[in-house]
Amino acid sequence: MRQSSVRGDRSRRRREPDAQEPGWDDGPYQDQGLPPDAPGWTPPAGGAVSSGDGDAPADGDAPADGGGHRKEGRPRGGKGRKVLRWTALTVAVLIVGGAGAGYWYYEHLNANLRKAPRSLSGDGLKKPDPNAFGQSPLNILLLGSDGRNSKKNIELGGARQDADRKPLADVQMLLHVSADRSNMSVISIPRDTRVTIPECTDPKTHKVYPQTSAAINESLQHGGPGCTLATWQELTGIYVDHFMMVDFAGVVDMADAIGGVPVCVDKNVYSHDSKGHGSGLRMEKGTHPVKGVQALQWLRTRYGFEDNTDIGRAKAQHMYMNSMVRQLKAGTKLSNPGQLRDLAEAATKALTVDDGLDTVKKLYDLGGDLSRVPTKRITMVTMPWQYSPDESYVMPKPGDAEATFGLLRSDTALDGKDKKKKATPDPEPATPKGQLKVVVQNGTNSTVNGPVSGRASVVQQRLAGLGYAAAGTDTALTTQADTTITYRDKGQRGDALALAKALGLPKSAVRESSSAAGMRLVVGNDWRNGSAYPKKSGEEKAADKAPDSADALNGEDSKACMKVNPQYTF
């Protein structure tokens, strides 16, 4: 493990500025040499400090205290506060529950919402089949944009020279809610992770952005959040149902209306140095509530936490979100009708959603789904990662990253607390294999790598050689990360398990689905060549929780405290 000071230096040179990203990690910190909350500090003209880090939520300069507080709104009805009390995990849900003051206001909030296509890159992944009870998991991509598309966003984010730059998606988290709504897993991906961004088409200009390899936060510049969603699907193999994107102003208004979220640091911290790096966050050792602008500073702080990289910042975001959920679950915040109305108004203006979440009603219903998850079953992790050979980018850690993604694909909770099924003998096959009707389908239609032709035929011929003479093929292409066998009812489980064993597939590949028309074998992207299923190390002992490298944080961990980098203490 490198020393913090060394890694901190490396993090500062990891991404160099270019013509499109002025002020990436450098810039004047034009204050009076005092932290924003120190006696004698006054905001500069215009109500904001100019840029430190130009990226967000990368460390930027501290905005003026006066920029994040708003007048209390007029009283209104309390309909839907129950949903609002708990959902800190999505800005969308926070804003919608208390808005029901009549049809006119509902339509007004709908008009505030910005909408964008769900995916900008081909058909993408196939949505998983529902389980035996007709339930499906829910995956929502949360994005934090550093766009300076309004006066308030410029004030809060600084970097006025970046006002015309396309925004970057510098906060990226996937919320996975289990099919039975018993648990939620949240995974962050560091913004500098090198990924393949698939070809995307801008829905407004129709410009086609070719496939490229770049940092994942740049995917937003390739046509919008629909390209970021497509990038996530390609990287993880997880079908993403929806996205929600919020900007600086939305974060501040949300935090301000909530009234303060307790966060903890293990030493005094001041996120500012002589080179202009830092969010401006100044906080003494211990636990303190943050709100408004200070909450934005906490969420943006990179210089000052752990090794001064995006990894520590992601952990700070996890702590903040968990703390907010605990507060809202307790029902101690957002009790003022005027505050709720203000929050609904401001956050809908700050929110961009996909076309499947294009109304307040849909967001409200989503909040009802999320509210069913108990806090103790919320788990926050960061994608297991490692540095690239030249240390200029972050890469998914071989083995551990894929294991984490695989858990979510199979709807397995990252906390390892799913109820264990009682060990029972496998049922015997009910149908002679020569008479078993199996449909084999090619699921290798990868957006990035393209399909492998003939995969269904190759596997069908292998089945015929194994005695499955009634196996046929479906010529339609689909996309799926893992090879699976789905069946309709319990009476077919023995046949499905026998089929999996014959092909060398793990038992986890066998799934009962209420929507299955019969028995179907989809050959996934994990089996793109050969007639024999590739064996994977540890396949028989599949992981049942996130690896240690994912640095999991439980939703009820109220003692979590951010480690302050010694270079940024006082």
Side-chain angles (χ1 to χ4, degrees):
M1 184 67 66
R2 301 177 181 84
Q3 295 297 318
S4 295
S5 59
V6 175
R7 182 172 292 174
D9 290 339
R10 282 174 174 156
S11 74
R12 279 189 276 272
R13 69 168 183 262
R14 187 161 299 125
R15 295 286 304 281
E16 295 300 329
D18 57 30
Q20 194 176 20
E21 298 175 321
W24 179 257
D25 271 326
D26 297 295
Y29 196 96
Q30 298 172 359
D31 62 11
Q32 299 140 356
L34 297 170
D37 55 353
W41 186 89
T42 56
V49 181
S50 59
S51 175
D53 280 352
D55 55 336
D59 307 330
D61 292 332
D65 255 354
H69 302 278
R70 301 185 299 124
K71 297 178 181 179
E72 185 174 306
R74 292 170 295 182
R76 56 159 181 78
K79 183 179 178 181
R81 276 182 217 158
K82 183 176 180 181
V83 172
L84 273 168
R85 283 196 180 101
W86 106 267
T87 42
L89 288 181
T90 68
V91 176
V93 181
L94 278 169
I95 59 174
V96 297
Y103 180 77
W104 70 271
Y105 192 65
Y106 171 78
E107 287 299 308
H108 169 73
L109 291 181
N110 282 342
N112 283 349
L113 288 170
R114 291 191 291 268
K115 296 95 174 176
R118 176 188 157 273
S119 178
L120 303 183
S121 183
D123 294 329
L125 288 174
K126 170 180 173 287
K127 184 176 176 65
D129 295 319
N131 63 18
F133 303 100
Q135 302 166 320
S136 296
L138 185 64
N139 294 301
I140 307 164
L141 183 61
L142 300 184
L143 303 175
S145 161
D146 74 345
R148 274 76 169 179
N149 59 345
S150 70
K151 180 179 179 181
K152 186 167 184 179
N153 280 329
I154 291 175
E155 289 176 352
L156 293 169
R160 286 173 175 77
Q161 68 270 26
D162 284 356
D164 296 327
R165 165 177 65 74
K166 289 184 178 180
L168 297 159
D170 280 337
V171 175
Q172 300 190 27
M173 298 181 182
L174 184 70
L175 273 67
H176 173 88
V177 189
S178 64
D180 62 3
R181 305 303 187 252
S182 68
N183 65 84
M184 181 188 301
S185 299
V186 182
I187 181 169
S188 293
I189 288 184
R191 63 169 192 168
D192 288 341
T193 303
R194 169 80 70 169
V195 297
T196 298
I197 301 175
E199 179 183 289
C200 292
T201 302
D202 189 311
K204 295 180 180 178
T205 66
H206 305 294
K207 177 179 178 179
V208 177
Y209 292 86
Q211 179 178 312
T212 186
S213 178
I216 194 168
N217 67 341
E218 295 178 22
S219 59
L220 189 62
Q221 298 181 331
H222 291 218
C227 191
T228 304
L229 182 146
T231 302
W232 268 78
Q233 291 196 153
E234 190 61 38
L235 173 67
T236 66
I238 299 168
Y239 179 86
V240 182
D241 297 271
H242 302 292
F243 67 75
M244 303 180 202
M245 184 170 70
V246 69
D247 57 17
F248 294 150
V251 171
V252 169
D253 288 332
M254 176 185 69
D256 203 39
I258 289 169
V261 174
V263 292
C264 176
V265 287
D266 69 349
K267 299 183 187 70
N268 295 349
V269 63
Y270 181 29
S271 179
H272 167 57
D273 65 17
S274 60
K275 296 181 180 179
H277 298 128
S279 67
L281 178 72
R282 184 180 176 94
M283 184 180 294
E284 294 184 353
K285 177 182 177 180
T287 300
H288 309 276
V290 294
K291 60 185 292 188
V293 171
Q294 192 179 31
L296 179 62
Q297 290 173 337
W298 175 274
L299 294 169
R300 297 182 71 195
T301 294
R302 172 159 56 105
Y303 294 100
F305 288 157
E306 300 200 344
D307 62 356
N308 298 332
T309 70
D310 196 47
I311 308 303
R313 180 170 56 196
K315 184 181 292 186
Q317 292 165 355
H318 293 165
M319 288 184 184
Y320 179 91
M321 292 169 70
N322 277 341
S323 180
M324 188 186 289
V325 170
R326 291 192 299 269
Q327 294 247 121
L328 295 171
K329 275 279 195 178
T332 57
K333 302 293 178 182
L334 292 180
S335 58
N336 182 291
Q339 288 178 320
L340 290 172
R341 181 179 177 125
D342 277 352
L343 183 60
E345 187 70 36
T348 47
K349 291 179 179 178
L351 192 68
T352 300
V353 297
D354 69 273
D355 39 20
L357 281 178
D358 56 354
T359 68
V360 169
K361 173 64 166 59
K362 291 177 182 178
L363 293 171
Y364 182 88
D365 290 343
L366 174 62
D369 258 358
L370 296 178
S371 66
R372 293 163 56 187
V373 180
T375 311
K376 65 182 180 181
R377 295 301 313 278
I378 297 174
T379 306
M380 306 252 181
V381 304
T382 299
M383 177 197 74
W385 59 276
Q386 66 183 31
Y387 286 118
S388 60
D390 63 357
E391 299 193 354
S392 61
Y393 284 93
V394 168
M395 303 168 58
K397 185 176 183 179
D400 283 8
E402 175 55 26
T404 306
F405 301 150
L407 289 170
L408 298 188
R409 291 197 299 265
S410 63
D411 197 23
T412 302
L414 296 184
D415 62 6
K417 296 180 180 178
D418 280 345
K419 291 182 179 179
K420 307 298 181 186
K421 295 181 179 178
K422 294 182 179 179
T424 56
D426 291 340
E428 294 295 324
T431 307
K433 64 181 180 180
Q435 300 174 19
L436 184 65
K437 293 181 179 180
V438 183
V439 176
V440 184
Q441 187 174 11
N442 186 346
T444 65
N445 191 24
S446 166
T447 303
V448 169
N449 298 315
V452 180
S453 62
R455 291 303 296 151
S457 296
V458 168
V459 176
Q460 183 268 332
Q461 290 170 16
R462 171 74 190 280
L463 285 175
L466 293 170
Y468 289 89
T473 61
D474 183 340
T475 58
L477 281 170
T478 188
T479 306
Q480 194 167 289
D482 305 306
T483 298
T484 61
I485 298 172
T486 54
Y487 60 95
R488 175 77 179 179
D489 56 60
K490 287 181 172 59
Q492 292 183 305
R493 182 165 178 78
D495 296 325
L497 287 170
L499 178 64
K501 184 177 181 180
L503 289 172
L505 297 173
K507 289 184 179 180
S508 59
V510 177
R511 302 170 187 176
E512 182 181 349
S513 172
S514 62
S515 68
M519 192 163 299
R520 180 173 293 264
L521 167 62
V522 178
V523 184
N525 277 295
D526 59 344
W527 192 6
R528 290 176 64 86
N529 54 69
S531 59
Y533 181 73
K535 279 289 182 184
K536 302 171 185 176
S537 60
E539 188 74 68
E540 296 307 317
K541 295 182 180 179
D544 61 358
K545 68 175 183 178
D548 291 343
S549 56
D551 200 12
L553 181 67
N554 183 266
E556 285 197 338
D557 187 353
S558 59
K559 296 181 180 179
C561 206
M562 281 305 300
K563 294 181 179 178
V564 173
N565 189 289
Q567 299 173 344
Y568 290 86
T569 190
F570 65 93

